[in-house]
Amino acid sequence: MLFLRVVPPEVVDGVVSGLYKVTGSVVRDVASGRGVAFLQETSVVQSLLNSALSGVSSTLQNGFSPLGAIALIQNQQIKSRLVEVQSSLALLQNLQIGTLAVSGLGLGVSIAGFAMMLKRLKGIEAQLGAIEAKIDRVTTDRRSDDIRMIFADVGTQLDIVDTLSARSNRVSSAEAAEHALATSSGRLEAHFQQKSEAMQIGPMTSEDMDMLWSLAAAIRLCHEAGFRALYSIDELEAAKQLAERRAQRFLNLSQGLTPDSLARLCAQSASDSISFAEARRLALPQAEVLVHGLRDSVASISSQSELAQNLIENQIPGPAYLEELAGEKVEPLLMLAPRP
Amino acid sequence: MKFQAIAAELEFLAWRDAQLAAISLQLEDAFPDLLDDLSAQVERAGRVDLVRSRLTLKSSTEAIIQRWGVKQLNSASSRAEAELEDAILQLPGGLKLDSDIWEQGSNVLPAIAGVGLIAGSVAAIPTVISFATVSTSFLAFWGAATISWPLFALGATGIGVATFLGSKSLKSVEARARKSLCNRVHREADRQGFGIGGKPGARCILSDIQAAVVKAGQNRIQGVS
C-alpha cells in the first residue's frame, strides 16, 4: 500500500482507553484535539457486517434499519460480534447499527458499489412507503410523489458515478452527476425541514421519527455519491469545500431537534404526569438514535473535509486514493496518518 | 479551521441535549413530592378555608408549586453549569470561546436555544440571564402563569350548600369536595409542571426551566455572562 496502512494496535488501544476519541472518521488526541489518524473503511467491512447481521431482522439485512426496538436492543450484540471478528473495529465504540443504513460506517470516502448504494436507496424508499401508509393519506400523497421522483433521479446518478472509471468523458460526467445529486439532496432537505417543522407543532409518533431518519439517510447517500464523484476526477479542493458546507447544512437541519423535545412530543397526548413520563421515556431511545445519528452524520461529513485537506497536503491524487482503497481485500479499516 | 468550529457546535449541542433530557427526568422524578405537598395542603385546609378563603388556598398552592419550581431550577442550573464547563474544557485543541470561532463556522452564534417546543419559554426568559442569576429569576418569569380562580370556587360551592343539611351530610360532602379539589389541584400541577392538556409549545415549568438553562448556557458560550 502506498498511502494507507493497517490501523496499528496503539491507535485501537488509545481509543479503547479514552486517550483518543473518534470524531467522524478522525481519531483525535483527547487532550490536544490533534488528529492522529484518518480512518477509512474498505469493501471488507460489508462482508463482515453481513456475517455479523446474519440471523437478525430482515430490515437490517436489507440495508435499512428503522428506529425499531429490535435494532436498539441488538446494537450492542452486533458490535460485540464485529469486534470478535476484527479487533480494529473496537474503534467504532459509538457505532449505532441503525446508522449503517445511512452510509455504511461513514468512515472516509464511500467505496460501496452501485448495487450496494442502490440497495440502500431502495431500502430507504420502501421504508418511506411503509411509513406513509400508516399516516395521513391525503396530505402525504403529493409529497410522496415528489420524493419518489427524487429517488429515481438519485438512482440514475448513482449508476453514472459507479461507471465513471469506464467513461471517456469522465470529468464532465462526474461534474454533472455531482451537480444532480446536490440538487436532489437540496430537495430532500426541503422535505426534511418541512417535516421537522410540522412535527414540532403537534403530537408526533415514532413513524414521524422514522420519516425524518429515512430522509436524512437519503440526503446522506446523495452526499456520499457526490463526494466520490469528485474524488474520481481529483477535485479534492472542491470536495473539501463542499464537505464543509454540507456538514454545516446538515448541522443546521438537525440543530432544532433534540431527543428530549421529540420524546416529549410523542408523550403530548398523555392525560396525567405518570403516563406522560412513561410515554416520554418509551420514545426517548428512538429519539436519541435519530438525533445522535444526525449529529454523527455532521461529524462524518465534516471530517471528510479534513481528509480531502490531508490528501491535498500530501499530494495524493483522488483517483489513486480510490484505486488503492478498492484493492484492499483483507482489512476492514485502514488509516491515513496526518502530515507531520 | 471550520471543522473545529463544527466540532465545537456539536459539543454544545450534545451538552444542550443532555441537559434537556436530564431536566425532564429530574422533574418527573421529583413530581410525586410536589403532588404529596399539594394533597397535604388540601387536607390541612379548614372548612372555613374551603368555603370562604379561596384566596388563601390559591396563594398557598401557588407558593408550593413555585417553591418546587425554584428548587428544581437550582438543581438543574448547577448541573448544567458544571457540565458546560467540562464541555468547554474538552473543545478541540487550542479553541477558545473568545476567538473568532463562530465566524469560522456558520457565521452565526450557535442557536442552542432554538428548540421549537420551548420557543415560547425562551422568549419569556430575560435575555441577559446567567447561571449566577437564573435561580433568583424564576419567580419573575414564572409569575405570568397562575392558578385559575374557578379551580377553587368549584371546591367551595358544594360545602357551602351542605352546611344547611346537617353534620353527617356535611362530612360526606366535605370529604368528596376535598377529594375533588385535590384531583383538580393535581391536574393543575400536571398542566403547570409538564403542559399536560395544553398545546405543544405552551409554557410550563419544565419548558421554562429548560429554556432558562439553555439560555444561560448560550450566554456563557457567547461570553455575554
Side-chain angles (χ1 to χ4, degrees):
Chain A
M1 286 186 286
L2 295 170
F3 321 118
L4 293 157
R5 60 190 176 103
V6 174
V7 181
E10 58 265 30
V11 172
V12 178
D13 294 344
V15 171
V16 172
S17 70
L19 184 67
Y20 301 147
K21 178 181 173 186
V22 180
T23 309
S25 52
V26 185
V27 181
R28 292 188 197 284
D29 181 291
V30 170
S32 66
R34 181 179 54 91
V36 296
F38 290 97
L39 298 175
Q40 172 64 59
E41 65 182 275
T42 74
S43 58
V44 180
V45 163
Q46 197 54 50
S47 58
L48 287 178
L49 285 174
N50 289 342
S51 161
L53 293 175
S54 64
V56 300
S57 71
S58 59
T59 44
L60 275 169
Q61 287 190 61
N62 289 337
F64 190 82
S65 159
L67 308 174
I70 294 173
L72 297 176
I73 292 164
Q74 291 183 331
N75 194 53
Q76 201 55 42
Q77 192 185 347
I78 293 166
K79 279 200 293 189
S80 301
R81 276 195 222 169
L82 286 171
V83 176
E84 272 174 30
V85 179
Q86 172 53 254
S87 59
S88 67
L89 294 175
L91 289 167
L92 311 173
Q93 290 182 325
N94 296 325
L95 174 70
Q96 288 290 338
I97 298 304
T99 62
L100 294 177
V102 180
S103 64
L105 296 178
L107 298 174
V109 187
S110 170
I111 37 80
F114 172 71
M116 180 51 64
M117 285 190 143
L118 195 64
K119 187 177 170 184
R120 282 191 196 135
L121 187 68
K122 294 288 178 197
I124 296 166
E125 196 172 11
Q127 178 68 11
L128 276 169
I131 297 164
E132 291 189 331
K134 294 180 190 170
I135 54 183
D136 187 2
R137 196 67 255 162
V138 178
T139 56
T140 56
D141 274 350
R142 190 180 296 171
R143 186 175 56 210
S144 301
D145 289 346
D146 189 43
I147 292 174
R148 278 194 197 96
M149 285 173 67
I150 297 170
F151 278 25
D153 289 345
V154 173
T156 306
Q157 301 312 321
L158 291 180
D159 207 358
I160 293 171
V161 171
D162 198 52
T163 54
L164 279 176
S165 59
R167 289 175 184 259
S168 55
N169 56 347
R170 183 192 300 185
V171 173
S172 57
S173 296
E175 285 174 345
E178 196 281 326
H179 183 264
L181 285 162
T183 304
S184 295
S185 176
R187 289 168 67 194
L188 289 168
E189 284 172 21
H191 281 286
F192 183 100
Q193 189 73 42
Q194 188 183 31
K195 180 71 189 164
S196 168
E197 286 169 4
M199 275 164 49
Q200 310 259 349
I201 54 170
M204 58 175 280
T205 63
S206 58
E207 279 80 22
D208 292 319
M209 283 197 274
D210 261 346
M211 170 76 87
L212 277 190
W213 180 248
S214 305
L215 289 171
I219 294 167
R220 182 74 189 275
L221 190 67
C222 290
H223 169 74
E224 296 295 337
F227 199 65
R228 195 171 106 197
L230 291 174
Y231 265 59
S232 69
I233 56 171
D234 204 21
E235 287 282 0
L236 294 179
E237 183 58 37
K240 178 194 151 204
Q241 291 185 24
L242 279 170
E244 282 174 0
R245 290 178 193 187
R246 288 189 185 150
Q248 188 64 55
R249 282 169 69 175
F250 222 90
L251 180 63
N252 294 344
L253 269 183
S254 66
Q255 199 160 235
L257 299 173
T258 80
D260 180 73
S261 63
L262 294 178
R264 279 180 62 189
L265 285 164
C266 285
Q268 199 66 40
S269 56
S271 57
D272 58 46
S273 56
I274 293 170
S275 51
F276 171 83
E278 282 172 357
R280 190 193 68 79
R281 291 177 194 201
L282 189 67
L284 189 62
Q286 276 187 306
E288 282 175 338
V289 170
L290 169 64
V291 176
H292 293 167
L294 295 173
R295 306 266 196 269
D296 286 347
S297 290
V298 174
S300 179
I301 297 171
S302 175
S303 65
Q304 285 173 343
S305 156
E306 285 183 79
L307 173 63
Q309 177 65 32
N310 188 278
L311 295 183
I312 293 167
E313 287 173 357
N314 285 300
Q315 297 182 318
I316 300 173
Y321 184 82
L322 291 178
E323 196 179 333
E324 182 165 311
L325 196 51
E328 178 58 43
K329 303 295 178 201
V330 178
E331 293 293 329
L333 288 183
L334 295 173
M335 63 164 266
L336 182 74
R339 204 170 68 154
Chain B
M1 282 293 281
K2 273 190 177 177
F3 58 83
Q4 290 198 331
I6 285 178
E9 287 195 53
L10 287 172
E11 284 287 344
F12 292 134
L13 289 175
W15 168 84
R16 177 198 68 183
D17 292 350
Q19 297 316 310
L20 296 185
I23 292 168
S24 281
L25 190 64
Q26 175 196 328
L27 264 63
E28 286 165 6
D29 287 345
F31 201 66
D33 289 343
L34 173 64
L35 296 184
D36 288 347
D37 285 351
L38 292 171
S39 300
Q41 181 227 205
V42 173
E43 286 303 315
R44 273 197 312 270
R47 200 173 292 159
V48 174
D49 280 340
L50 287 176
V51 176
R52 294 183 182 166
S53 304
R54 292 178 296 184
L55 186 60
T56 310
L57 265 180
K58 178 178 178 288
S59 57
S60 62
T61 301
E62 275 179 358
I64 289 170
I65 292 177
Q66 286 180 347
R67 211 166 37 239
W68 181 83
V70 171
K71 189 179 169 190
Q72 301 313 316
L73 179 57
N74 284 340
S75 173
S77 171
S78 302
R79 178 180 54 238
E81 184 176 19
E83 291 182 10
L84 181 56
E85 293 309 318
D86 279 349
I88 289 170
L89 285 175
Q90 287 179 23
L91 286 178
L95 213 56
K96 297 284 179 282
L97 291 183
D98 55 1
S99 71
D100 59 348
I101 169 176
W102 309 124
E103 280 69 31
Q104 293 164 21
S106 54
N107 293 319
V108 291
L109 293 160
I112 62 169
V115 180
L117 188 64
I118 62 170
S121 294
V122 168
I125 307 290
T127 311
V128 292
I129 200 163
S130 71
F131 285 118
T133 61
V134 72
S135 57
T136 54
S137 54
F138 180 81
L139 295 181
F141 60 72
W142 182 244
T146 54
I147 296 166
S148 61
W149 279 92
L151 176 76
F152 293 96
L154 280 170
T157 309
I159 298 169
V161 172
T163 49
F164 296 103
L165 302 175
S167 64
K168 196 174 174 185
S169 174
L170 177 61
K171 276 186 183 172
S172 167
V173 170
E174 184 187 326
R176 281 206 304 275
R178 274 187 204 279
K179 191 177 176 190
S180 169
L181 181 59
C182 193
N183 288 341
R184 288 201 303 276
V185 169
H186 283 193
R187 277 203 300 277
E188 180 67 10
D190 284 347
R191 184 186 70 79
Q192 292 205 26
F194 299 105
I196 291 167
K199 289 182 180 171
R203 286 183 63 195
C204 61
I205 292 178
L206 172 58
S207 292
D208 272 21
I209 291 178
Q210 289 181 327
V213 164
V214 292
K215 209 160 177 181
Q218 179 158 309
N219 284 338
R220 165 69 182 93
I221 293 164
Q222 294 175 2
V224 173
S225 57

